[in-house]
Amino acid sequence: MGLYAHLVLLPLIVAGHAMPLGVACGYLGFTIMALEFSLISKVHSVSSAFGQDALQRFHRMMGLVATLLIAIHVALMLRAGYPFAWVNPIDAESPWAMRAGAVAMWAVFLLILLSLCRRLLAIPYQWWQFTHGLLADAAILLGLAHLILFGGFAAAAPMRVVLAGYAALTVGMRLWFKVAKPLRLWSRPWTLVANIAELGDSRTLVLEPAGHRGFVFEPGQFAWLNTGRTPFHRDRHPISMSSPAYDEPGHPVAFTIKDFGDWSGQVVPTLEPGARIWVDGPYGVFSPDRDEGPAFVFIGGGAGITPLYSMCRTMALREDRRPVLLLFGGRDAASLTFRSQLDELSTQMNLRVIYVLEHPPANWTGETGYIDAALLRRYLPPRYQRCQYFVCGPEAMMDAIEQVLPAIGVPRSRVHTERFVII
């Protein structure tokens, strides 16, 4: 994080105290945008420290900060006397330096608008992903052209070295993500051996490594699946492992995928045994292997049960007798993915499962409604403050649980969450 802060502020440090506020906002907006891709390029040394979901949220926050800085930059430049017509990239009277800057500005604004309104506009994920990358590349390259062509502080030799460094970093990260990683995955394909229908509109894909030993992962981690004909296909999806985590490589790995439409509802059900799939992983820090405790409380809902199920299966495999309380919220009985498997696991390990239904059937005798403070107090063990808590599920549920647990005395350091919401 210290390195990130220094890279963001480096142009201001090189320029010294002479840079006006409006110009400084423009440089800061550019440097943040130039570093955005490095946050989500799945570099293990970075993702293993913070978790890919945390980096995604930070990426989103810094994108909004960059957009605000660019808007302030434009406003202050216009206030300083620059022609308003220069924000129009097709104005024939505008210098090329201003045209490049204007296109970069509008690319950033459009990128943020599409990201914030993707669900409202019903933009398919793969098309949003494609336009997101295209607009980001345009904003960075044209922003760099704007700085260099305009001159000013960018005309000084030290600043040109700095800008060249940002350009090299951006191109290097793109080559790593778009070329080097796919080439590496091409030599390590996986073969689909089973496609199993599950409760909750979900399917489990069981994969075996083809011509290599696979990988070792921690329970609760995830990987990016690519079902394209080659690993260069742009359609990649973060999916949690649902199989137990073995201590040695070479075992099959299972991924459970809920039908959310598009790829998960249209492509996944059609995959047949023998299909070749590309797996980039493992990723994530959402694992009890990293946060040991005398007991665990797992809280899940919807597709969020998948990493929790992997944790339970791993503890059963390891004959781990530490107590586990699993609170599993669902819309109805048909939405409880892995229900029968969890009931079986509760006979093999020290696991207690509490199902909570929003719309229970007439003969339901279990809990109803939502997982709230009152329900937690009914089931948490006496020394529940010492437990480690792992929470994964719909965003609304996670927002609520992250507020409820500290309110009943659970230290925030013992609450671990993972979200897969992509901007």
Side-chain angles (χ1 to χ4, degrees), residues 296-299 323-327 351-354 379-381:
F296 298 94
V297 177
F298 298 159
I299 304 175
V324 177
L325 171 65
L326 170 59
L327 301 167
L351 169 66
R352 184 184 185 188
V353 185
I354 306 298
Y379 292 103
L380 289 179

Side-chain angles (χ1 to χ4, degrees), residues 30 100 104 134-148 167 170-171:
F30 168 77
L134 188 66
L135 289 170
D137 288 343
I140 294 169
L141 294 176
L142 291 171
L144 180 64
H146 167 68
L147 294 175
I148 294 174
T170 301
V171 173

Side-chain angles (χ1 to χ4, degrees), residues 3-15 28 31 35 166:
L3 174 62
Y4 176 83
H6 277 84
L7 289 174
V8 168
L9 298 173
L10 187 58
L12 275 63
I13 297 171
V14 171
L28 287 175
T31 56
L35 294 172
Y166 286 117

